[in-house]
Amino acid sequence: MITQKGQSIEDKSMEIIDSEIGSHPYSEDEWTIVKRIIHSTADFDFARANKIVFHKDAISSATDALQKGCNIITDVNGVIGGFNKDNMKKFGNQVICNISDAAVIEEAKKLNKTRAQTSMRLVARQMDHGVVAIGNAPTALTEVIQMIREGITSPALVIGIPVGFVCAVESKDELRTLDTPYITNIGRKGGSPCASAIVNALYKIIAKRST
């Protein structure tokens, strides 16, 4: 639970972001998400060259799924660290990250795949109708895309915002070709704080609608 002092700092930060960005092409709900990403990274580029891109059904699909208690699958524990856990408790959302599980490590070695790839493949059933939040590993994102194309899973939303130099850009480009709802960005930038911020912002949108 955020303190009054903490809330005042956050509110001031959001005012600064609004002031520095000025006009933008995002809808009100989209801007809630973009602004929270900027707040978590202090990087205004996410509203500019490395802009956030939304599937037309991304927000409606995700907020509906979250309110129904869907699973949230992440690629790394760092994404979980940025979540506001009170939100998950309210709706009964289970957060799943198995990248450090012994079974994942063993299977990855056997198949000569990354742990991130293998971790996604092993939770295909749990991510069905859930929210997938990938902020670190491009191979996790490419695996999820492949699984969707194979028809073995159908997430309500794929947050694909991995950071990096190898396959990060390409995986995001490929995600934008899917009909599955997604939120991603242009370019190499991204990271776990961005993925966490998107999920937290989706809960903010839910809360705003209920008032």
Side-chain angles (χ1 to χ4, degrees), residues 33-104:
I33 292 171
V34 176
K35 189 158 60 170
R36 192 148 291 274
I37 294 170
I38 295 170
H39 179 254
S40 70
T41 60
D43 190 345
F44 287 88
D45 209 24
F46 284 109
R48 295 166 178 155
N50 291 97
K51 66 180 181 180
I52 306 300
V53 183
F54 296 85
H55 181 278
K56 62 182 178 62
D57 298 322
I59 295 173
S60 60
S61 179
T63 53
D64 182 60
L66 289 169
Q67 290 178 93
K68 290 177 179 177
C70 74
N71 293 328
I72 302 172
I73 293 87
T74 74
D75 59 332
V76 292
N77 287 309
V79 176
I80 299 174
F83 287 159
N84 181 334
K85 310 303 189 299
D86 290 338
N87 292 322
M88 287 80 186
K89 291 177 184 176
K90 181 176 181 179
F91 296 106
N93 307 111
Q94 181 182 0
V95 180
I96 300 170
C97 181
N98 64 352
I99 194 166
S100 297
D101 290 0
V104 170

Side-chain angles (χ1 to χ4, degrees), residues 2-19 35-36 39 204:
I2 191 168
T3 65
Q4 185 176 0
K5 179 65 173 178
Q7 187 63 58
S8 68
I9 293 171
E10 179 178 307
D11 292 344
K12 181 61 177 177
S13 297
M14 295 303 182
E15 290 176 12
I16 292 170
I17 293 168
D18 279 327
S19 174
K35 189 158 60 170
R36 192 148 291 274
H39 179 254
K204 288 277 187 184

Side-chain angles (χ1 to χ4, degrees), residues 121-191:
R121 180 69 58 167
L122 292 180
V123 292
R125 183 177 60 81
Q126 290 98 318
M127 74 170 60
D128 211 23
H129 308 299
V131 171
V132 181
I134 297 171
N136 185 75
T139 57
L141 181 54
T142 56
E143 193 73 12
V144 170
I145 293 168
Q146 182 61 33
M147 290 159 57
I148 292 169
R149 287 185 169 151
E150 291 172 7
I152 65 172
T153 192
S154 181
L157 175 71
V158 178
I159 298 168
I161 195 162
V163 61
F165 298 98
V166 180
C167 294
V169 173
E170 293 82 355
S171 64
K172 295 169 191 177
D173 290 346
E174 190 173 359
L175 178 61
R176 293 195 299 275
T177 68
L178 298 183
D179 291 330
T180 300
Y182 60 77
I183 299 174
T184 186
N185 75 301
I186 306 294
R188 293 172 172 172
K189 290 185 179 182

